[in-house]
Amino acid sequence: MSAEYFNAVSTLYGATDQTARKAAEKWLQDFELTDDAWGVATAVLSAPPGGPNGDANAPARIFASQVLRHKVARDLYKLSNDHVTQLRSGIVQMLSTPALLDARAVTQLCCALADMAIHVPAWTAPVSEVTQALGQRADLFPVFLEFLTVLPQELAAAERVMTRAEYAERMASLVEANAAQVFRSLVTSLQGMLHAADPRLHTKLFACVESWMDTHAIPLNDIVQSQIIAMSFDALASSDVAESAASILSAVFDLAEPDITHQSAAGTAVVQVALPRLIAAAPLIHEAADDEDSARSMVRLVTAAGVACLGPIAERPVDFAPLLDLAVSVMAFPHLDVLNQTFDFWNMLTIAVHEDQLFDSTPIVSAYQRLLGILIRQMRFAEDYEDLTAKEKEDFSDFRHFMGDVVKDCCSVLGVNAVLSHCLDLLGQATAASSTTSAWRDVEAVLAGARAIGRFANEANPDNVRRLIEALPGLMAMHPRVNFAGLVLIGCYSPWTHHHPEFLAQHMDLVSRGFSGDTECVAAAARTLMFMAKDSAPLMHQYIGQLHPFYLTALGSLPLKESLDVVEAVSHIIAAAPVAEMPQLLQQFATPLVQQLDPSLPVPTLKETLYRLAMIIKTVKPAIAAGQPHPILGLVDALWPYLQGILAVHARTDPVTEGVSKVIRNTLNDSCIPHYSADQLTRLVDLLAAQFAATQFSCWLWVANHVVSNFSRDAQWVAPLLQFVQQLTQTTAAMAERDGWDAAFETIDEMHGIFSTVLGVLPAQFLAWSPTLDNIVQFSLQALQHSTNPHTVGSLLYFFRALLDQLHPLARPAFARQGVDTAEIATRVVRPHAGNLLGITLAKRIADLVGSESFSDVMDIIKFTAEIFPAEFVPWCTQCLGMFSFLTQAERQSLLALFARVQPENSMSSVRDAVNKIVMLHQRRSGHGTNSSRRRRN
């Protein structure tokens, strides 16, 4: 095996043949899973250098260290206690001869040793034992520092594979119990090595302090009484340790935040010691601006200081004006990604300012004024913007969006008039320099900032908004991007326009021109037209005649998204028209669409037409008096033969069926439902049943769910709709049996949505629905067992949770009054399958097939099962735990004790801990969820 191992490693790292390398990689992956890997990895790491393989052993040792680390993380539970102790001693012995090991191998072995400290509770004093073994010799001191560095990092990475109680215990015993002593030792070592000949050791010491500071376990008094704050500020001038030093200082401020807020002695000491040094370090902080990593650590430091001092800043802004100035100045750093961490600070400061009565708000106002100017400058398009990748352009767009939120914070502090005035001043400066090639970038950035406060426009001085709006026509002619920004701004200010209709004509003219621009301008024009119609539909009724020819042109020329915006805009205007005019308007704007429903047309054309019709039906929802015809249902009556015609040809064409289902679904709203006639509903149900029987497309079930939800409360429709659901169930079951569970996942998902709806609307009828209920439970359990789609699994769990909830003993009296014996139903229908349901539910959770939104359903299924079947619950749990081979017998017993507590103690926290424990053990032992994401410095 050793020879094969060396050959595989040599091939993986040395061969040029990709096929051979992949084969070697596969062999090594399989080898790592074997029991022999323990011995081979240990032997390779323990062997002296040289020998027949010479220097070629170095890659083999590095890979062996990785194997050993992975084996400790995944398979340590398979070893006996004696073997674990022997392995631990072996790793310590390997680390005691670091000359044999590459630095990367040292890191891997230290991680393995740290994992043993974390996951072997019987090892009661790992830090002191490793200190005794590795911390007493100068030549081993770097190795000892590596162990101390990775221990907190590995514990943080292991949090997701431990229960809360386990993590708290390990944090207390490994970190908190040792933090003060380790910290004092590290600081002492730093003080003794400030002028050490080996700068790498200095770097390692700072990295180790950083790792322990990140735990927030070091007492603040110990930090204040040490020299770490002063040494860290001194270290900001050293490129080797500046980032670690900044991280240490950030952690100090994070830890001190509550003490600073409550003005404790330690908190006051941090402010008195650290804040002057931070202000004095401003030149160093600004020097880091051009290097992204350095800038990120410095911005993090300044932000941490600002957050820690939020309360004092709001209470005594004059005293903290230098910190505010520094926080504002870093916002001008050129690497925009590093500024994301500042946005929450500005929002929190804004909230704090509003909560406090400021004695002198001048520093706050001054800071936000400077901040506003910087924000708008940062929104400028770079000169090389067109050369950026699509991802970089998307990131810049996201950044501007978040910057817009900070502009809103400025508006909250300064007032909308001050922000608008500043924007107008900047516009004046930019237009005065319009001869320069960059002027349009300045104008566009100002418009981007101004649109962020559009929702405040109605609170502003109308004259300020007027000046901005009146300037738009001239500005938008400068450049296509300025045109786009102006169009978006008009949309953002459409609520203001509603109260100032004198600008409606101007805006309509600018939007009309926008449709002649580039692709982005067309999209902005369409979206803005929709916003204007939505906010000012009655006012825009005067333009309906002018819109008609444009509308017809748009249907044939615009992409789907933009055409839908135009259709929605027209629909809002129709929806606000007098009811008497609606049939004529629908005839005018919808009939051209209906006439395009020719089955011979290309599928994309049919899809777009159906989506546009669906938008009209979704948007036009007038209040119609009882007994009066509903214009939308009249439109659907006229549309129905066309829908039948295209379905006759395209029943199995997904884009077409999706479009038809949207059209029908959008009629099932509060406006239309009271006006549905019996014939219209029967026609709809017949269509859904026929189409689903023919195609098994899930979109028909989506519509059917809404039909059941909206009409099954009417007694005359209960029996027909239950029969309808039974038909759909039979078709779904036949599809799953014929095509397989994975192929039917969407259909199963929608079908169980219908089951849950019926159970919620007609619980007594559903529970008494024999033998259909029996068949549904068996079918649903099979579906849960075989489903691998998390969304489908979630729908199935939701259904079972709802079913058990209705069968709960507390609900029995209410059902008994309706003549339904739910105790008998639970015993006859659910009891034969309840143990299996528990096991499958746990298996899906373990396999990571349960989304976070369904975690509570898992808990409720367990809880309700225990309360409905108390005598059988513990034996069922015993059976379930026996299914999981990765659990030891001792673990099964402890988990069973947690499950059993749900009955006498109603302790759901113990059940939650048990489920989490099973999931975490599986993750750890299958190799998932154990990789640390920490940054390593070698």
Side-chain angles (χ1 to χ4, degrees):
M1 181 69 79
S2 294
E4 291 178 275
Y5 170 78
F6 279 111
N7 288 335
V9 173
S10 177
T11 301
L12 179 64
Y13 291 109
T16 57
D17 186 335
Q18 292 300 315
T19 302
R21 292 185 66 187
K22 288 183 179 179
E25 183 180 24
K26 177 65 167 60
W27 188 91
L28 288 167
Q29 288 173 346
D30 294 341
F31 159 76
E32 190 177 285
L33 300 176
T34 65
D35 291 338
D36 290 338
W38 290 110
V40 172
T42 302
V44 170
L45 289 164
S46 302
N53 292 288
D55 291 336
N57 279 356
R61 283 195 291 272
I62 294 171
F63 196 91
S65 68
Q66 296 174 354
V67 169
L68 204 56
R69 180 191 177 186
H70 295 162
K71 293 293 285 184
V72 166
R74 186 167 50 228
D75 296 333
L76 193 66
Y77 76 103
K78 297 179 181 179
L79 302 182
S80 67
N81 291 337
D82 289 341
H83 283 166
V84 170
T85 302
Q86 183 180 356
L87 176 64
R88 185 175 74 225
S89 299
I91 293 175
V92 171
Q93 183 60 39
M94 295 172 204
L95 290 171
S96 299
T97 53
L100 305 182
L101 301 172
D102 181 274
R104 289 166 290 183
V106 169
T107 296
Q108 294 296 320
L109 291 177
C110 285
C111 289
L113 197 61
D115 283 344
M116 296 182 80
I118 294 164
H119 296 292
V120 182
W123 191 11
T124 55
V127 174
S128 61
E129 289 185 27
V130 175
T131 300
Q132 187 66 31
L134 303 176
Q136 308 302 315
R137 287 168 41 188
D139 61 324
L140 297 182
F141 192 59
V143 177
F144 175 57
L145 285 178
E146 186 70 7
F147 170 76
L148 286 181
T149 301
V150 302
L151 178 62
Q153 296 170 346
E154 289 297 303
L155 180 57
E159 181 178 8
R160 66 187 301 264
V161 293
M162 304 173 76
T163 65
R164 286 172 294 180
E166 287 175 334
Y167 181 76
E169 188 280 323
R170 300 316 285 159
M171 173 61 79
S173 62
L174 289 176
V175 174
E176 293 170 0
N178 297 291
Q181 179 60 43
V182 168
F183 175 72
R184 285 193 290 269
S185 299
L186 292 173
V187 172
T188 300
S189 298
L190 269 174
Q191 288 175 303
M193 297 183 182
L194 288 177
H195 305 289
D198 187 356
R200 291 175 299 179
L201 192 58
H202 197 224
T203 302
K204 277 186 170 294
L205 274 165
F206 266 101
C208 191
V209 175
E210 176 189 1
S211 179
W212 281 79
M213 288 293 297
D214 283 343
T215 66
H216 290 190
I218 301 170
L220 185 60
N221 283 326
D222 287 15
I223 295 171
V224 170
Q225 293 168 11
S226 75
Q227 292 299 308
I228 192 62
I229 294 176
M231 287 191 293
S232 297
F233 274 112
D234 291 340
L236 291 180
S238 172
S239 59
D240 292 334
V241 295
E243 290 181 37
S244 286
S247 179
I248 291 168
L249 292 168
S250 299
V252 171
F253 281 113
D254 289 343
L255 183 64
E257 178 185 349
D259 289 83
I260 293 173
T261 300
H262 295 99
Q263 301 181 16
S264 72
T268 302
V270 169
V271 172
Q272 292 173 343
V273 173
L275 213 53
R277 291 295 306 265
L278 178 64
I279 304 306
L284 286 174
I285 292 171
H286 290 129
E287 285 176 13
D290 292 331
D291 179 80
E292 186 168 357
D293 287 338
S294 298
R296 179 174 285 104
S297 63
M298 294 301 183
V299 171
R300 167 78 182 90
L301 168 57
V302 174
T303 304
V307 171
C309 298
L310 268 177
I313 290 173
E315 293 171 3
R316 308 189 307 278
V318 174
D319 295 340
F320 289 85
L323 177 58
L324 272 176
D325 289 341
L326 185 57
V328 170
S329 67
V330 300
M331 296 298 292
F333 279 15
H335 294 285
L336 303 184
D337 285 350
V338 310
L339 302 179
N340 290 332
Q341 57 193 319
T342 68
F343 298 154
D344 284 345
F345 162 70
W346 291 111
N347 182 249
M348 289 187 288
L349 179 59
T350 300
I351 295 170
V353 166
H354 280 294
E355 290 177 347
D356 282 275
Q357 297 295 322
L358 299 182
F359 178 74
D360 183 358
S361 63
T362 303
I364 297 286
V365 171
S366 175
Y368 274 87
Q369 286 172 337
R370 288 179 55 214
L371 175 64
L372 177 62
I374 291 173
L375 292 172
I376 291 176
R377 285 198 297 274
Q378 292 284 41
M379 289 183 178
R380 292 176 80 254
F381 279 97
E383 293 187 7
D384 63 347
Y385 176 81
E386 298 303 332
D387 297 329
L388 300 180
T389 65
K391 177 65 169 58
E392 289 170 333
K393 290 179 180 178
E394 182 181 355
D395 289 344
F396 180 63
S397 176
D398 291 342
F399 172 80
R400 280 162 58 106
H401 173 78
F402 292 125
M403 278 286 193
D405 288 339
V406 186
V407 172
K408 293 185 181 74
D409 292 330
C410 293
C411 190
S412 295
V413 173
L414 302 175
V416 64
N417 287 313
V419 173
L420 274 176
S421 295
H422 187 74
C423 290
L424 289 168
D425 290 343
L426 292 176
L427 279 178
Q429 297 169 21
T431 52
S434 59
S435 59
T436 65
T437 57
S438 64
W440 73 264
R441 294 185 175 86
D442 296 325
V443 170
E444 193 281 337
V446 175
L447 295 183
R451 77 180 184 225
I453 60 169
R455 67 185 178 93
F456 300 105
N458 283 327
E459 304 170 17
N461 182 335
D463 291 338
N464 283 337
V465 184
R466 280 194 182 92
R467 288 175 57 198
L468 176 65
I469 298 300
E470 288 170 350
L472 286 179
L475 298 174
M476 292 168 66
M478 293 180 68
H479 191 275
R481 290 206 175 276
V482 182
N483 189 28
F484 171 83
L487 289 167
V488 175
L489 185 142
I490 292 170
C492 293
Y493 280 67
S494 65
W496 183 87
T497 306
H498 175 73
H499 296 287
H500 300 82
E502 65 271 21
F503 287 98
L504 195 58
Q506 172 190 301
H507 290 174
M508 287 293 290
D509 180 59
L510 292 174
V511 169
S512 176
R513 294 184 202 175
F515 283 103
S516 301
D518 60 22
T519 303
E520 289 186 338
C521 287
V522 170
R527 179 50 58 99
T528 295
L529 181 64
M530 184 271 291
F531 285 139
M532 290 171 60
K534 185 176 181 180
D535 291 326
S536 304
L539 298 175
M540 292 186 66
H541 188 67
Q542 60 183 305
Y543 294 100
I544 196 73
Q546 299 174 36
L547 281 172
H548 185 252
F550 163 74
Y551 169 84
L552 295 178
T553 303
L555 294 181
S557 61
L558 293 181
L560 178 59
K561 183 176 181 297
E562 286 71 34
S563 71
L564 285 176
D565 284 335
V566 172
V567 171
E568 184 176 353
V570 170
S571 301
H572 282 300
I573 298 173
I574 295 173
V579 173
E581 296 181 19
M582 284 186 187
Q584 179 184 351
L585 291 173
L586 289 172
Q587 173 78 14
Q588 188 177 7
F589 286 91
T591 298
L593 293 171
V594 175
Q595 292 171 347
Q596 292 180 19
L597 294 179
D598 183 342
S600 64
L601 291 175
V603 168
T605 301
L606 291 173
K607 172 189 172 182
E608 291 180 6
T609 301
L610 288 164
Y611 275 52
R612 291 163 180 163
L613 282 166
M615 179 59 73
I616 294 174
I617 294 169
K618 176 183 178 181
T619 308
V620 181
K621 298 186 288 188
I624 305 295
Q628 297 300 311
H630 197 293
I632 288 296
L633 292 181
L635 171 64
V636 172
D637 285 341
L639 182 59
W640 202 263
Y642 292 89
L643 299 180
Q644 290 177 314
I646 62 172
L647 286 175
V649 177
H650 295 287
R652 303 193 69 84
T653 305
D654 189 67
V656 174
T657 57
E658 285 287 340
V660 174
S661 66
K662 280 181 180 292
V663 169
I664 297 173
R665 159 64 186 92
N666 287 348
T667 68
L668 299 173
N669 57 54
D670 292 341
S671 175
C672 290
I673 286 171
H675 299 275
Y676 253 91
S677 69
D679 289 342
Q680 287 171 328
L681 183 55
T682 301
R683 178 183 67 184
L684 171 55
V685 170
D686 289 345
L687 176 74
L688 296 175
Q691 290 299 318
F692 184 65
T695 66
Q696 292 86 59
F697 282 4
S698 62
C699 61
W700 303 120
L701 295 181
W702 172 61
V703 180
N705 195 349
H706 289 281
V707 171
V708 172
S709 176
N710 286 292
F711 291 99
S712 58
R713 290 177 174 84
D714 190 333
Q716 66 173 320
W717 291 107
V718 170
L721 288 178
L722 287 178
Q723 184 179 2
F724 173 51
V725 172
Q726 194 168 32
Q727 284 179 268
L728 300 177
T729 304
Q730 292 167 351
T731 303
T732 302
M735 177 193 180
E737 184 175 351
R738 181 187 70 242
D739 299 339
W741 299 98
D742 284 339
F745 78 93
E746 287 184 342
T747 305
I748 293 170
D749 185 354
E750 294 290 354
M751 192 69 242
H752 281 81
I754 294 177
F755 291 158
S756 297
T757 295
V758 178
L759 186 56
V761 178
L762 302 171
Q765 292 90 332
F766 188 87
L767 295 178
W769 200 9
S770 181
T772 302
L773 178 61
D774 307 60
N775 297 332
I776 287 175
V777 169
Q778 294 177 46
F779 167 68
S780 301
L781 194 63
Q782 284 182 290
L784 182 60
Q785 182 174 4
H786 293 97
S787 292
T788 57
N789 179 275
H791 196 278
T792 303
V793 169
S795 295
L796 289 158
L797 292 174
Y798 181 84
F799 165 69
F800 276 115
R801 183 257 176 218
L803 177 62
L804 293 173
D805 188 22
Q806 298 287 10
L807 295 173
H808 194 276
L810 293 177
R812 288 172 186 170
F815 282 109
R817 290 192 290 271
Q818 301 176 65
V820 179
D821 185 353
T822 55
E824 185 275 332
I825 294 170
T827 301
R828 174 175 52 82
V829 178
V830 178
R831 184 181 177 279
H833 310 288
N836 199 16
L837 173 62
L838 279 178
I840 296 172
T841 299
L842 288 174
K844 294 300 176 184
R845 178 69 183 88
I846 290 168
D848 200 21
L849 293 175
V850 179
S852 58
E853 70 280 358
S854 299
F855 287 175
S856 61
D857 293 331
V858 172
M859 294 297 107
D860 284 342
I861 287 172
I862 297 170
K863 178 177 184 288
F864 294 158
T865 302
E867 291 169 346
I868 298 170
F869 307 107
E872 298 91 339
F873 179 69
V874 171
W876 285 340
C877 289
T878 303
Q879 182 182 0
C880 293
L881 294 172
M883 296 164 42
F884 306 129
S885 59
F886 59 88
L887 296 175
T888 65
Q889 189 57 36
E891 288 166 345
R892 290 191 182 98
Q893 291 300 319
S894 65
L895 289 166
L896 185 62
L898 290 174
F899 278 116
R901 290 175 60 187
V902 72
Q903 290 171 303
E905 302 177 33
N906 194 27
S907 176
M908 286 308 296
S909 62
S910 66
V911 175
R912 188 176 296 107
D913 285 344
V915 174
N916 290 341
K917 176 73 173 178
I918 297 170
V919 172
M920 294 162 185
L921 287 171
H922 177 264
Q923 287 180 344
R924 186 163 192 269
R925 291 167 183 176
S926 63
H928 300 297
T930 57
N931 293 329
S932 172
S933 60
R934 67 183 182 281
R935 178 180 58 185
R936 293 295 308 124
R937 300 186 181 90
N938 292 319

